[in-house]
Amino acid sequence: MSAGIEMRIEPRARRVGSGSVNRLLPFRARRTVGPFIFADLFGPEELAAGTASNIDAHPHIGLSTVTYLFDGRMVHRDSTGAVQSIEPGAVNWMTAGSGVAHTERSHPDDVPLDRNVHGLQTWVALPDGDEDVAPSFEHADAGAVPTVTVGASTIRVAVGDGWGLESPVSGSSPLVLAELSLAGGDTVPIDVDVTERAVLAVAGAITVNHAPLAAGHLAVLEPGHTVTVGGVGTAMVLGGDPVGPRRIWWNYVHSDPERIEQAKADWAEQRFPLVPGDHEPWVPLPSS
C-alpha cells in the first residue's frame, strides 16, 4: 500500500431505481469515513432521448443525504415540501432525522434530449442527540460554493470546511466534502482538520501521494499523514470526525435498532410523511 493510503476500495455495481450505480461505502472492511456511511457514484452515462432516471418515493431516518453533480441535472422532491432542481456544482443536503420521504427524477425538460448524467450521492450519519431531529432541506447554488485555486487546480468546498473555506452548507458535525479539479503540475494538499479522510477519483488520471488511483476508486487515508492529490481530472475529498457506531438497514441509519424496526413498520403501513404531488409509486419495504 502506498504511503499515506490505509485502504483502497473498488466500486461495486448496484441497481438503484431505474439505473445502476457504483457503490463505495459501506464496504465490508470499512463501513464509514468520518460520518460518511454511504457513497454511490453514478455515471458518467449517456441517457437517450425519451428515457429518464427516476428513483420513486422512499424513506430515510437518522441521516442526511448529500447530492453533488458533475454533469446533467435532477429534480429533488421531499416530504418537507422542498422541490429543487440541482445542476453541476450545486449541493442538495436533506436531513431525514425522525423521518422523511423523497424522490429523485430526471428534469422533465431533459427527457426529450440525449444527455449525460454523472454525480455523487452520499449519506452522512447524524451525531448523537440529532438522529431524530425534524426533517429539513438545504440547497446551495454552484455560485455560492466557495472556491480557491492552487496553481492551475481548483478546490470547491461543497459541504463543511477546509482549505480556509467554509461552505454555506455547514453539515451536521465536523466534516468536509470538496471537489478538486486538477490541471497537472502542482499537487494539492489535503488541508482539512478532520480525523478521517478519503479521496475519490472521479475522472481522469488521479494520483494520491504520487501513486495512481483508478477512476471510480476510493482511497481511505492514514490518519496523521500529509497527503497530496495530483494528476489531471476530477477528485472528491470526503471525511470528518466519527459520530459513533451506527446500524444501517436499507435506507435507514440509526444507533438504536428498535428505531429502525419502528421505521420498517411505519413505511410498510405508509405512516411516513408523503411527498406532495409525487408519492405514487412508492418503493416497497425490502423483504430482508
Side-chain angles (χ1 to χ4, degrees):
M1 193 65 64
S2 303
I5 299 178
E6 179 181 300
M7 178 184 300
R8 294 171 181 262
I9 299 176
E10 296 183 3
R12 292 144 286 138
R14 296 289 186 270
R15 190 77 180 170
V16 174
S18 58
S20 62
V21 301
N22 284 317
R23 183 150 301 159
L24 294 154
L25 292 174
F27 181 59
R28 63 182 182 277
R30 184 76 193 212
R31 308 298 292 175
T32 61
V33 177
F36 288 89
I37 196 167
F38 180 96
D40 277 352
L41 189 63
F42 53 93
E45 179 183 9
E46 183 174 345
L47 296 182
T51 62
S53 177
N54 290 322
I55 302 177
D56 292 331
H58 60 282
H60 293 286
I61 65 165
L63 58 85
S64 292
T65 65
V66 191
T67 305
Y68 190 86
L69 299 182
F70 310 105
D71 202 357
R73 60 176 173 171
M74 301 171 62
V75 178
H76 166 100
R77 290 180 174 84
D78 69 44
S79 52
T80 72
V83 180
Q84 180 64 58
S85 177
I86 181 171
E87 300 187 358
V91 184
N92 275 3
W93 173 286
M94 181 189 71
T95 295
S98 60
V100 77
H102 78 123
T103 63
E104 299 281 354
R105 304 196 185 279
S106 292
H107 195 287
D109 292 348
D110 295 342
V111 174
L113 309 173
D114 294 334
R115 76 273 188 199
N116 295 317
V117 293
H118 193 195
L120 173 68
Q121 182 162 88
T122 66
W123 297 352
V124 173
L126 295 174
D128 292 342
D130 288 341
E131 292 178 273
D132 293 301
V133 296
S136 61
F137 179 80
E138 295 179 67
H139 173 84
D141 290 333
V145 173
T147 302
V148 67
T149 58
V150 177
S153 299
T154 302
I155 303 166
R156 307 181 75 250
V157 177
V159 182
D161 59 85
W163 294 274
L165 304 175
E166 185 174 349
S167 169
V169 181
S170 60
S172 49
S173 59
L175 58 82
V176 64
L177 179 68
E179 179 185 6
L180 277 54
S181 298
L182 301 154
D186 295 335
T187 57
V188 174
I190 305 300
D191 186 14
V192 296
D193 186 20
V194 294
T195 307
E196 298 180 355
R197 306 159 297 162
V199 176
L200 169 61
V202 176
I206 305 301
T207 64
V208 177
N209 276 359
H210 304 287
L213 181 64
H217 290 221
L218 185 75
V220 180
L221 308 182
E222 292 182 339
H225 278 249
T226 299
V227 176
T228 60
V229 183
V232 177
T234 303
M236 296 294 289
V237 173
L238 61 89
D241 295 343
V243 295
R246 293 291 183 270
R247 295 172 180 263
I248 181 169
W249 186 90
W250 191 39
N251 300 318
Y252 303 150
V253 170
H254 212 282
S255 60
D256 183 357
E258 293 185 2
R259 183 68 186 85
I260 291 176
E261 292 303 313
Q262 181 63 57
K264 291 181 185 180
D266 287 344
W267 184 251
E269 298 298 326
Q270 284 295 280
R271 293 192 293 262
F272 266 75
L274 307 183
V275 182
D278 194 24
H279 199 76
E280 298 286 345
W282 49 273
V283 180
L285 194 76
S287 58
S288 62

